[in-house]
Amino acid sequence: MAKGSNVGLAALSDDTGSVIVSLRWSSATGDGDADVSVLLLDGNGKVRSDADFFFYNNPAAADGSVQLLGKTPTDSGSEDRISLDLTAVPRDVERIVVAASQYGGSCFGELDDLRVTLADRSGEALLGFSITDAGVESAFIFSELYRRGEEWKFRAIGQGYETGLAGLATDFGIDIDDASDDDAVDGPAVEQVPKADEPRPPAGESTAAFPTQSASGAEPVGVEPPARRARGPRTAKKKVTLPKVAKKSLAENDSWRPARLFPVPSLKSDKERELRATSVLLSVMAEVPELGRRLTAAFGAPAGRMQTFTEVTLPHGDTPKRPDGVIRVERAGKLWTALVETKTNGNALKAEQVQNYMDIAARRGYEAVITLSNDVALEGSPLVDVRTDGRRKHKVALWHLSWAEVAHQAQMLIRHEGVGNAAHAWLLQELLHYLQHENSGCHGFQNMGPAWVPVRNGIDTETLCQGDRRAVEVVESWERLIRQVCLRLGGELGQKALPVQRAKRGSDPHSRRAVLADRLCDEGRLTSELRIDGTPGVLAITADLRTARLRTSIEIQAPEGSYPLTSAKRLIRLLAEAPADLHVETLVEGGNGPRGTLERLRPEPADMLPKDGARTTGFRLSLFKGMGATRGSAESGFIRSVDESVDRFYASVVAQLISFERRPGSRSQPAEPAAVG
């Protein structure tokens, strides 16, 4: 679409009652990002109240008309999706404005490939609009949906604001609170639940403390919490989360186990695990509307009354089929129905089963088939191949959820965003405990696949050649693992955590993975980068298959206007609780500077400065760890070692650096005497 043009939704599709709006951008450095927001406007072009402003701290409307679905990694960056149920929008709302904003002095001219797309409930794209003239603006209205009589229309806008989110919001009648206290910037008021202990991780799972959610709920000593960003109005919604500190147990000793709503120790067979997991999840989705809406809005489900069923028998030729579950949502007399196929304990989805359910759904007029397993889906690499009959007018969408995504959403709701009441919070707590139990089979991606050992052996013996399909399979497994790491970190921290993609938009994912596979054959290394909201840099992970070592690292910029020695001393002070074997490397213009372990540099921070007086631009901090040998998530497994390495590095290093950020300054870096002490 061209800027300023508009089109009626009825001309694009027969089913536009529920749509998905997606905002995309990419960044060559991997650092660029923005926050989406939605405003509901009345006939005067103003919000009816501050509650009509939906953003990171107010992500969903109570009536289900708006649901911010969060960020999804793509091959060229990330995509922020918004579910809009137009049938649930109040009659006095005339316009729905879709916008995005940046912070920290960033502007949209620093991002590439700004684009908004509109899709129907099945995920089929209906239209798109690209913004090509972004410059110094720090907020942008991408598009709007507006009423014309009984019809909804879409308009491509592309209007920027140099005054940022505050300028955009005040134009539409939002009262921005400029106070700096936590209450003013932290969004919805939160009420804690006086309930039982928080869910325990499964046996053997890493228990490294995170700065915002330690094992006890208290902040680790010496760790500053991530700075909150003042980017929105205060809201009055009352939400319920888990208590930060669990109430003292009344048990006589540690052998007494709390009673659980969903017990799991007796599960023995895969079939039993699948039945129990499906029933537990679907029942909680039906009873906790925040979770049910969160998990189904992205699949085109309307906001309405949800009911869920298990082991339903449906006719299919001579042999009836029994999908693991059925989800039905009713709104305004219309039904949305999805069949659910579940796998646990690392079992793979079967293409024949999924194909049967797709055929049944098409014949019966159902809207979707949802697969649920330990695997993480990748763009351009479907978990199962199914065929669709293009002659059929009714379209059935195939969607996938991983158990890691379900656990992530449950964590976000009960630990950070909150739910409607204490009973719902307790139900989510029991669900999360079930998912994390070692016997549930609902853990995330937990196997690097059959190609892992041959590829490792081929790298060790230098017999692995470019073009080997097994190397591509390992690259795909690595990508799935990194995405799962991001989900887990995001749930623990309550922050956005995404893999960094530096490929240009439109690049073929198969070609990109083939290039990475050839690099793996040549260098013997797997590498990825993570961007975690609130941290001073990009976290890098490297798995060196030749040396069997994992390296986690981060590069941070030297504060502007600071003397090099002052920066070095301040960095050492911030790393007071960091491991002694942390490697510190000074970054200088045109190359690398001095390096050493934290243990050696603590007594003499001046040893971090380049002897030739070269300008210090920043520092690289790295931790090394032995790599697990086996392909799975057992104690000695590769996946477990990656999780532990990331946890340790974030908790002991990255969390300490929150306040080591670039300071605005008017003067250039001053010269400093060479003889420093």
Side-chain angles (χ1 to χ4, degrees), residues 69-198:
L69 301 174
K71 295 186 183 295
T72 300
T74 66
D75 272 328
S76 52
S78 63
E79 176 182 82
D80 243 309
R81 295 183 299 163
I82 305 157
S83 172
L84 300 176
D85 186 349
L86 301 179
T87 65
V89 176
R91 292 296 305 176
D92 55 347
V93 171
E94 295 289 332
R95 295 163 58 197
I96 304 173
V97 172
V98 178
S101 57
Q102 289 198 286
Y103 44 88
S106 300
C107 61
F108 277 90
E110 299 169 356
L111 299 177
D112 301 319
D113 308 316
L114 297 171
R115 184 169 176 81
V116 58
T117 59
L118 181 76
D120 63 16
R121 70 170 75 242
S122 70
E124 181 176 332
L126 303 177
L127 55 82
F129 164 55
S130 296
I131 297 175
T132 58
D133 57 352
V136 298
E137 301 89 350
S138 53
F140 246 99
I141 297 178
F142 279 65
S143 60
E144 70 174 9
L145 290 96
Y146 62 99
R147 294 184 192 267
R148 277 294 180 268
E150 296 300 316
E151 181 187 9
W152 282 96
K153 304 187 75 173
F154 178 95
R155 177 181 288 120
I157 296 181
Q159 176 186 345
Y161 285 75
E162 294 184 30
T163 50
L165 180 64
L168 183 154
T170 52
D171 269 6
F172 295 112
I174 296 290
D175 294 327
I176 297 294
D177 194 335
D178 294 327
S180 59
D181 59 282
D182 285 350
D183 287 340
V185 301
D186 200 27
V190 175
E191 175 187 356
Q192 294 179 348
V193 184
K195 280 289 178 184
D197 299 344
E198 293 190 36

Side-chain angles (χ1 to χ4, degrees), residues 371-425:
T371 58
L372 182 59
S373 72
N374 304 91
D375 277 327
V376 178
L378 298 180
E379 190 173 23
S381 183
L383 295 174
V384 290
D385 291 318
V386 297
R387 65 184 185 279
T388 56
D389 189 347
R391 296 170 298 179
R392 281 181 171 150
K393 183 177 180 180
H394 181 74
K395 294 180 295 184
V396 178
L398 177 61
W399 303 99
H400 180 73
L401 267 177
S402 72
W403 288 113
E405 292 175 271
V406 174
H408 167 80
Q409 297 296 354
Q411 281 186 316
M412 290 298 294
L413 285 170
I414 61 173
R415 292 182 176 173
H416 308 291
E417 297 174 9
V419 291
N421 58 56
H424 288 170

Side-chain angles (χ1 to χ4, degrees), residues 261-274:
L261 183 63
F262 309 121
V264 286
S266 61
L267 298 178
K268 296 178 181 179
S269 69
D270 287 338
K271 184 62 176 176
E272 192 176 1
R273 287 189 180 91
E274 289 176 9

Side-chain angles (χ1 to χ4, degrees), residues 440-459:
S440 71
C442 297
H443 310 134
F445 174 73
Q446 54 188 6
N447 195 311
M448 291 295 288
W452 174 248
V453 173
V455 166
R456 284 198 61 175
N457 292 338
I459 289 174

Side-chain angles (χ1 to χ4, degrees), residues 295-530:
L295 293 179
T296 60
F299 304 153
R305 183 173 67 97
M306 177 181 291
Q307 282 193 349
T308 55
F309 310 86
T310 59
E311 292 293 290
V312 175
T313 301
L314 298 173
H316 183 65
D318 296 332
T319 309
K321 302 298 179 184
R322 298 177 65 187
D324 292 313
V326 178
I327 302 172
R328 304 204 88 172
V329 181
E330 180 192 34
R331 180 168 187 86
K334 295 182 179 180
L335 283 175
W336 179 91
T337 306
L339 304 181
V340 180
E341 170 62 10
T342 302
K343 294 296 180 185
T344 59
N345 211 34
N347 292 314
L349 294 163
K350 297 179 180 178
E352 182 181 0
Q353 277 186 318
V354 178
Q355 183 69 65
N356 288 336
Y357 299 144
M358 290 288 287
D359 294 340
I360 292 172
R363 286 199 306 271
R364 300 182 70 85
Y366 297 162
E367 283 72 22
V369 172
I370 301 172
T371 58
L372 182 59
S373 72
N374 304 91
D375 277 327
V376 178
L378 298 180
E379 190 173 23
S381 183
L383 295 174
V384 290
D385 291 318
V386 297
R387 65 184 185 279
T388 56
D389 189 347
R391 296 170 298 179
R392 281 181 171 150
K393 183 177 180 180
H394 181 74
K395 294 180 295 184
V396 178
L398 177 61
W399 303 99
H400 180 73
L401 267 177
S402 72
W403 288 113
E405 292 175 271
V406 174
H408 167 80
Q409 297 296 354
Q411 281 186 316
M412 290 298 294
L413 285 170
I414 61 173
R415 292 182 176 173
H416 308 291
E417 297 174 9
V419 291
N421 58 56
H424 288 170
W426 176 71
L427 279 173
L428 285 178
Q429 178 185 8
E430 292 298 299
L431 170 66
L432 193 57
H433 180 271
Y434 178 89
L435 296 178
Q436 292 178 336
H437 196 283
E438 59 183 353
N439 289 340
S440 71
C442 297
H443 310 134
F445 174 73
Q446 54 188 6
N447 195 311
M448 291 295 288
W452 174 248
V453 173
V455 166
R456 284 198 61 175
N457 292 338
I459 289 174
D460 187 50
T461 58
E462 299 186 8
T463 57
L464 188 66
C465 301
Q466 290 190 0
D468 194 318
R469 174 60 195 171
R470 295 174 301 179
V472 176
E473 293 176 11
V474 168
V475 166
E476 290 179 345
S477 294
W478 172 253
E479 191 173 337
R480 289 188 171 96
L481 173 57
I482 294 303
R483 292 197 179 185
Q484 179 170 288
V485 168
C486 289
L487 287 170
R488 187 173 54 78
L489 276 177
E492 290 285 350
L493 303 171
Q495 302 282 358
K496 291 177 294 185
L498 289 169
V500 173
Q501 300 287 5
R502 302 185 187 275
K504 283 292 184 181
R505 187 168 303 285
S507 60
D508 177 26
H510 298 288
S511 300
R512 180 181 63 83
R513 291 177 188 130
V515 171
L516 295 175
D518 288 345
R519 190 179 303 167
L520 170 63
C521 295
D522 290 341
E523 302 174 359
R525 290 194 296 268
L526 294 164
T527 59
S528 283
E529 294 175 309
L530 314 181

Side-chain angles (χ1 to χ4, degrees), residues 558-569 609 616 667 669-673:
E560 288 183 349
S562 237
Y563 290 106
L565 181 58
T566 302
S567 298
K569 288 182 176 180
L609 306 183
T616 298
R667 69 182 190 274
Q669 177 174 294
E672 193 166 5

